Amino acid sequence: MHMYKGHARAYTNIALIKYWGKADQQLILPMNNSLSLTLDAFYTETSVTFSSEFSEDQFYLDHQLQDKKATDKISRFLDLIREKAQSQLFAKVDSQNFVPTAAGLASSASGLAALAGAASAALGLSLEEKELSRLARRGSGSACRSVYGGFAEWQKGDSDETSYAVPIVSNSFEDELSMIFVVVNDQQKDVSSRDGMQRTVETSAFYDGWLATVPQDLAKAHTAITDKDFQALGEVTEASALKMHGTTLAAAPPFTYWSAESMRAMNLVRQLRNQGLSCYFTMDAGPNVKILVQRKDEAALLGKLQEHFSADQLITAHAGPGIKITTKEVEA
């Protein structure tokens, strides 16, 4: 019997300059570059075992065996790795998401990055970070950024070979930052991010305006990181999120990920800023609001937020590390 095992832990990342729209659905090539910060508070641990004893792929998420639909998605991704490693072995995938209960936070970035790392290690593929990033992208676009700690930029490229994330030199600027999550709703979304993205690209009157401004926003973010300029980074982060969400309102039919609670959190951030507390919000394809703040102001911001939201709605994160591929055993 041949058995091959790999294990990986990857952390989730939040895009400061957003990825919104695919140029190629199949290869998951994005319409624009994006820039992210990997966080320490949410991560996925995945073990993958390939064995000649297995007659099909099995996928366990948080100790629950998953249905055919979820397993097929994982199998298709494993097929890419099997092809690379010239293997026909089936696998058992054990994946656990370490996200605070009921946080309603996306785990596809950490999940697919961890799967890419664990499965490729199990089959003896020693992939460099760039190659691992490329592979993770095929599972979930934002997963390509979770290969790296701190700041990363996903370079859109124009082919499977040229689309991957790279780390950004930051002189540890990320260590001066905190991100506070305001969890306002963990219900199932009306419009998935995948469908929302596609509808926006195909029908939004504002989409071209979004694409046209991304290069300037990226340049501003890079300068802000180099200069360790928190205000500049905050301003461009908030602007990018608002523009992305603006495109959904001009889609046909129109939609939004905002809820009344999202608006309340965003207005509070603006109010606190007017009172001299430097903080900026961002949002992904869901109603939760993430607030970027300097670590030195973290306690003050939390204090203010606790006057409006319950403690279990607030989660604090700091910059997180890159992927850790911790085991590779081969048994005959």
Side-chain angles (χ1 to χ4, degrees):
M1 179 180 85
H2 290 282
M3 188 179 281
Y4 307 90
K5 292 183 182 178
H7 181 87
R9 174 192 281 199
Y11 291 78
T12 201
N13 70 76
I14 295 294
L16 306 182
I17 307 299
K18 300 296 185 194
Y19 145 52
W20 194 237
K22 293 183 179 76
D24 186 312
Q25 302 281 343
Q26 198 57 42
L27 293 173
I28 312 189
L29 303 180
M31 294 288 277
N32 62 277
N33 285 26
S34 53
L35 187 151
S36 63
L37 178 62
T38 297
L39 301 174
D40 63 354
F42 321 104
Y43 59 93
T44 302
E45 286 206 353
T46 299
S47 294
V48 180
T49 307
F50 288 93
S51 172
S52 52
E53 298 282 283
F54 300 154
S55 55
E56 60 179 7
D57 290 330
Q58 283 193 317
F59 173 38
Y60 290 84
L61 180 60
D62 296 329
H63 310 299
Q64 299 286 318
L65 183 62
Q66 300 298 292
D67 64 12
K68 186 179 185 318
K69 189 182 172 192
T71 306
D72 284 350
K73 187 184 174 194
I74 297 296
S75 291
R76 284 194 297 274
F77 184 64
L78 290 174
D79 285 345
L80 299 172
I81 299 167
R82 282 188 275 246
E83 196 183 327
K84 237 185 230 292
Q86 297 182 312
S87 169
Q88 291 177 332
L89 296 174
F90 289 107
K92 180 185 172 201
V93 175
D94 273 304
S95 197
Q96 261 186 292
N97 284 328
F98 292 84
V99 174
T101 319
L105 301 169
S107 53
S108 60
S110 56
L112 271 299
L115 180 61
S120 55
L123 289 181
L125 296 171
S126 303
L127 301 181
E128 289 180 358
E129 284 180 332
K130 185 176 98 172
E131 292 305 305
L132 190 56
S133 176
R134 242 186 80 202
L135 175 62
R137 188 203 80 236
R138 295 290 301 272
S140 170
S142 55
C144 74
R145 301 184 306 237
S146 278
V147 168
Y148 306 98
F151 295 108
E153 181 174 352
W154 177 8
Q155 300 180 334
K156 64 178 182 174
D158 55 13
S159 64
D160 182 31
E161 288 70 36
T162 56
S163 186
Y164 50 81
V166 294
I168 295 171
V169 176
S170 63
N171 295 319
S172 303
F173 180 38
E174 65 270 24
D175 295 339
E176 297 172 22
L177 308 176
S178 299
M179 192 173 271
I180 296 174
F181 287 65
V182 183
V183 180
V184 298
N185 185 338
D186 60 350
Q187 302 303 305
Q188 204 61 41
K189 290 187 288 206
D190 294 340
V191 183
S192 73
S193 49
R194 180 168 297 207
D195 293 346
M197 219 178 249
Q198 196 170 347
R199 188 191 301 179
T200 305
V201 172
E202 289 169 4
T203 68
S204 177
F206 296 165
Y207 193 71
D208 288 346
W210 153 260
L211 280 185
T213 61
V214 171
Q216 293 132 253
D217 287 351
L218 279 163
K220 284 179 193 168
H222 274 283
T223 303
I225 290 167
T226 303
D227 296 347
K228 295 194 173 186
D229 183 339
F230 177 73
Q231 185 181 335
L233 183 64
E235 284 173 358
V236 76
T237 293
E238 198 169 286
S240 176
L242 286 169
K243 278 186 280 194
M244 176 198 126
H245 285 272
T247 65
T248 72
L249 298 173
F255 66 101
T256 183
Y257 291 108
W258 295 1
S259 68
E261 287 281 272
S262 312
M263 296 286 287
R264 199 158 71 88
M266 289 188 279
N267 285 335
L268 180 59
V269 168
R270 289 194 194 98
Q271 213 178 310
L272 292 172
R273 213 159 53 221
N274 290 337
Q275 293 165 10
L277 180 55
S278 189
C279 57
Y280 298 85
F281 62 77
T282 186
M283 289 177 70
D284 294 301
N288 297 319
V289 177
K290 294 96 176 175
I291 307 173
L292 192 64
V293 67
Q294 292 171 97
R295 274 182 103 137
K296 66 183 178 66
D297 294 330
E298 180 191 300
L301 176 59
L302 271 173
K304 294 289 187 188
L305 291 170
Q306 282 162 357
E307 294 171 17
H308 300 266
F309 298 96
S310 64
D312 63 354
Q313 286 182 281
L314 302 171
I315 302 162
T316 304
H318 301 115
I323 192 168
K324 302 253 190 299
I325 300 173
T326 48
T327 59
K328 178 177 171 284
E329 310 158 20
V330 180
E331 299 169 14

